[in-house]
Amino acid sequence: MTSASSSPDEIPSLYGPGKNVKRVRTRHLIEAKERGEKWAMLTSYDQYTAALFDEAGIPALLVGDSAANNVYGYETTLQVSVDELVPLVAAVARSTQRTLVVADLPFGSYESGPAQALETAVRFMKAGAHAVKLEGGRRMAAQIRALTNAGIPVMGHIGFTPQSEHAVGGYRVQGRDAQAAEVEADAHAVAEAGAFAVVLEMVTASVAAEITKQLPIPTVGIGAGPDTDAQVLVWQDMAGLRRGRPQRFVKRYAEIADVLQGAAKAFADEVRAGEFPTKAHSFE
Ligand code: KIV
């Protein structure tokens, strides 16, 4: 889709590799909402997935604090630190040409107040991020305002916020009944504080649709139904690297775990049988 008002430096469509390697900027995501163009975000934590997803035309990559579970093997996201996430952000930023790289601020790195949030966000921006994400609605408005005032684009994250899992009593859908007004108030607070987009996690589809209509900035759903402006998934869930029963909101588009394990077994079998290496893999 091409906007009639596109100037040569604008990305007419968020999708499609190759032709236009200019970096996606936050304004392109807002313009996509205005055109009614939906887009996808994936997590990425390393060089190879970042380059593949960038070439696939994914316009935004999130170096999520979900690296806690998906890279570092922690049980929850509470355990991962800024020091552990900064090198992953740097790797993803170095390995992409076009996608907007969003760095997730981990638990304990921004809640104390705007000054702490600014100090942490600056570390991620210096590592190569183009924006940061933080969890919380009204209670984080001052932090979002401080970052945007400092020129750091912020993606909000409301609804179910995993870093507050213990406070909200576990993984629970947000926005049912009287809670709908709370979630809507958080969405407005985040947008008014200057965020360029907001993740809605495990929010009822009807509340997410209403928020999406009301806000001028894109909503990025995960377990928030079909009517948000964008959708995000953790790549290991989307591609089937993580085994076990996925959460209801996940769709698996591949079974990478089977492919990878099959390759490992085939390699081991050939080594045991003396079939690898052959002359073709050897030096005279
Ligand atoms: O860290 C993460 O992967 C996230 C997404 C689930 C939105 O915050």
Side-chain angles (χ1 to χ4, degrees):
M1 261 189 278
T2 307
S3 150
S5 62
S6 287
S7 67
D9 69 329
E10 280 175 331
I11 295 176
S13 169
L14 291 172
Y15 285 90
K19 274 189 247 148
N20 188 341
V21 292
K22 280 194 194 322
R23 203 51 92 166
V24 174
R25 298 188 182 272
T26 56
R27 69 185 163 87
H28 296 125
L29 302 179
I30 293 168
E31 287 165 9
K33 177 174 180 124
E34 288 160 6
R35 292 195 297 270
E37 181 183 330
K38 287 179 181 263
W39 48 276
M41 179 163 85
L42 279 171
T43 63
S44 175
Y45 321 94
D46 72 287
Q47 172 191 188
Y48 291 124
T49 60
L52 286 172
F53 298 158
D54 190 37
E55 284 167 24
I58 302 292
L61 290 181
L62 171 67
V63 185
D65 64 349
S66 51
N69 323 93
N70 292 298
V71 175
Y72 288 108
Y74 294 131
E75 202 164 326
T76 77
T77 57
L78 301 188
Q79 288 149 291
V80 78
S81 68
V82 174
D83 287 345
E84 287 169 314
L85 292 183
V86 161
L88 309 188
V89 169
V92 169
R94 276 197 297 267
S95 311
T96 57
Q97 290 186 290
R98 187 169 179 273
T99 191
L100 181 99
V101 177
V102 183
D104 215 0
L105 305 192
F107 177 66
S109 73
Y110 61 95
E111 296 88 339
S112 298
Q116 189 200 21
L118 189 54
E119 197 180 315
T120 305
V122 165
R123 284 194 64 192
F124 282 112
M125 297 302 281
K126 282 186 184 288
H130 309 119
V132 300
K133 176 171 87 57
L134 58 84
E135 293 185 9
R138 285 160 290 175
R139 64 193 168 88
M140 288 300 151
Q143 276 86 331
I144 296 171
R145 176 62 63 205
L147 299 190
T148 54
N149 281 347
I152 299 174
V154 179
M155 179 177 279
H157 184 158
I158 63 166
F160 176 68
T161 45
Q163 293 174 14
S164 322
E165 180 193 339
H166 298 295
V168 297
Y171 274 71
R172 282 162 169 248
V173 174
Q174 307 289 305
R176 289 202 170 118
D177 307 322
Q179 218 189 25
E182 299 288 310
V183 181
E184 285 182 19
D186 278 339
H188 284 279
V190 161
E192 278 156 26
F196 72 88
V198 60
V199 171
L200 306 180
E201 181 161 354
M202 285 175 71
V203 170
T204 61
S206 56
V207 169
E210 190 52 39
I211 290 172
T212 301
K213 256 193 245 152
Q214 289 174 13
L215 292 195
I217 59 169
T219 55
V220 187
I222 176 161
D227 295 320
T228 54
D229 299 300
Q231 297 286 334
V232 57
L233 284 176
V234 169
W235 87 257
Q236 289 91 342
D237 294 339
M238 180 278 303
L241 183 61
R242 179 153 56 181
R243 283 184 155 158
R245 201 160 71 96
Q247 281 168 298
R248 176 178 165 153
F249 56 75
V250 169
K251 180 171 175 185
R252 276 192 185 149
Y253 289 84
E255 296 294 345
I256 293 292
D258 293 344
V259 173
L260 203 52
Q261 198 170 63
K265 281 183 179 155
F267 169 58
D269 287 347
E270 288 199 2
V271 170
R272 261 197 304 271
E275 291 168 0
F276 177 85
T278 63
K279 266 193 168 173
H281 306 107
S282 310
F283 301 97
E284 295 301 330

